[in-house]
Amino acid sequence: MTWQNRGAMDNETITRKQLSAAVTVSLLSPLLRLLPQTAVGFAGRAAWMGALTALVPLTALGLIMASFRRRMRPGEGMGGLLLRWLGPVAGRIVLCLYGAWFLFYGGFILRSGAERLVSTIYPSSGQDLFLLVTIGLCLAVSLGALRAAARAAVIMRAVLTGALVLVLALSLPNMDAAFLGPIGARDVLAAVPGALPFASVCAVAACFSFLEGYARPPKGQLWPAGAALLVLGLGATVCLAVVCVFGPALAGTLTYPFFVMIRGISLWDLVPRIEAAVIAVWVGADFMLVTMLLRCAHEALRPVFGYPVPDGLPAFSLGKGRWLQWLEGLAVLGCSALFDLPPWQLKLWSDRYIPLCSDVMLYGGFGLLWLVTLPQRKKERRITQNESTGGGAP
């Protein structure tokens, strides 16, 4: 075990419950951005069925990530594993690619979150203040111990999912189940492309494989399954609710149909409070995802330079790789400037280009790495079998 890995073990205080909570809260960000309008655009009234068909690609990705996880050493994440398997040159290239993607994706989340707040809540305000405040808070949390963010995620999961469920429950009087049926063969076929946004949303959980060195080994092979199933269930419910309120034709054309739906709640004077709850879900999910992407990027890039884990280091120092974390925060802010686009162009990136790039990096990238490292896995398996039978060198 290297001295970097020993440092990670010394700071191993994150339970699987805490890491799962961080995954769940983070996935709410792409869920509320892509669903339900993208799924409804693909599958119409059968959009909710996309959650079922999405289980096929998600299970395949889960098995691939489980195969990697079984071979991680104590205190080692995906970054250390890939560097060990691919070698110093190819390993560093791959880790730089993933680190750059995490920062680019974080910049997009930062910008899309600010645009969503400005367009729905503060139409007369600019986005710069929201961008600076959000990245400042995310960087401050990412500079601290990861266990603090993970513990906060447990509370945030309860609050945010509770707010989401409350909004859905209060929308029940405005729903008309006639928009859903009857389900025919054409609807079932439409659920296949309708799975794309669900699969893209839940695949983001694979990014957290770079944080494996901070957590205890999972009891099961597909440890994020609970988080993914919860998010799939919430996504399907949101699609059902919006389609039942507006109908599939109108729901697919609205920019933020879920937010428009809550403004139709006529129960007492709850609309301002419900809007505040939805804003809390938006902001909290974006905040957690950007924070975790900063840490994932650092866990991808620090093995490239041989830096130790950042937990326990002075937050405002620049030694032992701290400068890299500050640079990563600036990179996210810089990437957000790339998306200073007209709303229709930003929506195009949100609905098409970003999910496509994410799927290429996560499904395609990890799938390709699984194939490329097959000889290395077979070699390690033979060494393990020899050692277990006493055939190894003394």
Side-chain angles (χ1 to χ4, degrees):
M1 183 186 299
T2 64
W3 63 278
Q4 291 99 328
N5 289 335
R6 284 199 300 270
M9 290 296 292
D10 292 338
N11 292 281
E12 185 189 8
T13 58
I14 298 179
T15 65
R16 283 292 153 179
K17 178 181 177 181
Q18 293 168 343
L19 190 55
S20 179
V23 172
T24 302
V25 176
S26 297
L27 293 187
L28 289 178
S29 176
L31 181 148
L32 293 175
R33 192 184 79 249
L34 288 176
L35 301 175
Q37 60 270 29
T38 307
V40 174
F42 279 125
R45 63 184 179 183
W48 64 273
M49 298 177 63
L52 299 176
T53 50
L55 289 173
V56 176
L58 287 172
T59 300
L61 180 61
L63 291 172
I64 290 173
M65 303 312 297
S67 179
F68 285 128
R69 194 179 305 111
R70 285 195 300 269
R71 291 162 177 83
M72 291 179 186
R73 295 171 179 173
E76 185 178 62
M78 182 62 76
L81 179 69
L82 292 179
L83 187 62
R84 176 162 56 88
W85 277 3
L86 299 177
V89 177
R92 282 179 166 84
I93 293 174
V94 170
L95 291 180
C96 286
L97 287 175
Y98 274 99
W101 163 246
F102 295 148
L103 296 175
F104 181 79
Y105 186 35
F108 167 76
I109 296 298
L110 193 65
R111 172 66 66 175
S112 64
E115 191 277 335
R116 184 169 48 193
L117 276 179
V118 168
S119 62
T120 57
I121 308 298
Y122 306 106
S124 60
S125 302
Q127 299 179 12
D128 293 343
L129 179 61
F130 296 102
L131 293 172
L132 292 174
V133 171
T134 304
I135 191 58
L137 292 174
C138 292
L139 181 59
V141 175
S142 68
L143 287 170
L146 185 62
R147 60 179 177 271
R151 289 170 180 172
V154 176
I155 301 174
M156 292 178 66
R157 179 177 60 180
V159 173
L160 299 186
T161 56
L164 202 55
V165 171
L166 177 62
V167 170
L168 292 170
L170 292 176
S171 300
L172 283 173
N174 298 329
M175 297 182 190
D176 185 358
F179 285 121
L180 294 178
I183 298 295
R186 182 178 298 180
D187 297 305
V188 175
L189 292 176
V192 176
L196 293 176
F198 287 95
S200 297
V201 166
C202 292
V204 176
C207 301
F208 287 72
S209 61
F210 284 85
L211 303 179
E212 283 290 329
Y214 292 88
R216 302 187 184 104
K219 294 181 180 179
Q221 295 301 329
L222 298 177
W223 73 264
L229 289 175
L230 175 59
V231 172
L232 284 175
L234 287 173
T237 305
V238 168
C239 289
L240 276 171
V242 171
V243 169
C244 287
V245 170
F246 299 112
L250 180 58
T253 61
L254 295 173
T255 303
Y256 299 113
F258 183 71
F259 191 78
V260 176
M261 183 183 72
I262 69 170
R263 288 184 166 174
I265 297 175
S266 58
L267 186 63
W268 302 307
D269 296 323
L270 287 180
V271 172
R273 294 176 176 84
I274 296 301
E275 286 185 359
V278 173
I279 294 169
V281 176
W282 281 354
V283 174
D286 289 344
F287 164 78
M288 182 59 66
L289 180 56
V290 174
T291 299
M292 289 300 159
L293 286 172
L294 280 170
R295 287 306 296 259
C296 288
H298 191 66
E299 289 305 309
L301 295 176
R302 73 173 181 83
V304 174
F305 301 97
Y307 288 133
V309 294
D311 289 19
L313 297 176
F316 294 100
S317 71
L318 297 179
K320 296 183 178 179
R322 275 297 191 190
W323 66 271
L324 185 59
Q325 287 186 283
W326 287 92
L327 186 61
E328 289 160 357
L330 291 175
V332 169
L333 185 61
C335 287
S336 72
L338 299 176
F339 297 101
D340 187 10
L341 304 169
W344 69 270
Q345 287 186 347
L346 187 62
K347 180 172 173 55
L348 190 63
W349 274 92
S350 176
D351 294 348
R352 296 186 183 182
Y353 301 145
I354 291 296
L356 178 60
C357 293
S358 179
D359 291 343
V360 169
M361 293 298 296
L362 299 177
Y363 286 102
F366 284 130
L368 181 61
L369 288 171
W370 185 82
L371 293 175
V372 169
T373 57
L374 184 59
Q376 182 67 25
R377 296 200 307 275
K378 290 182 177 180
K379 179 181 178 181
E380 288 192 358
R381 188 182 302 115
R382 287 196 300 269
I383 293 175
T384 302
Q385 289 175 348
N386 289 335
E387 290 177 349
S388 63
T389 57

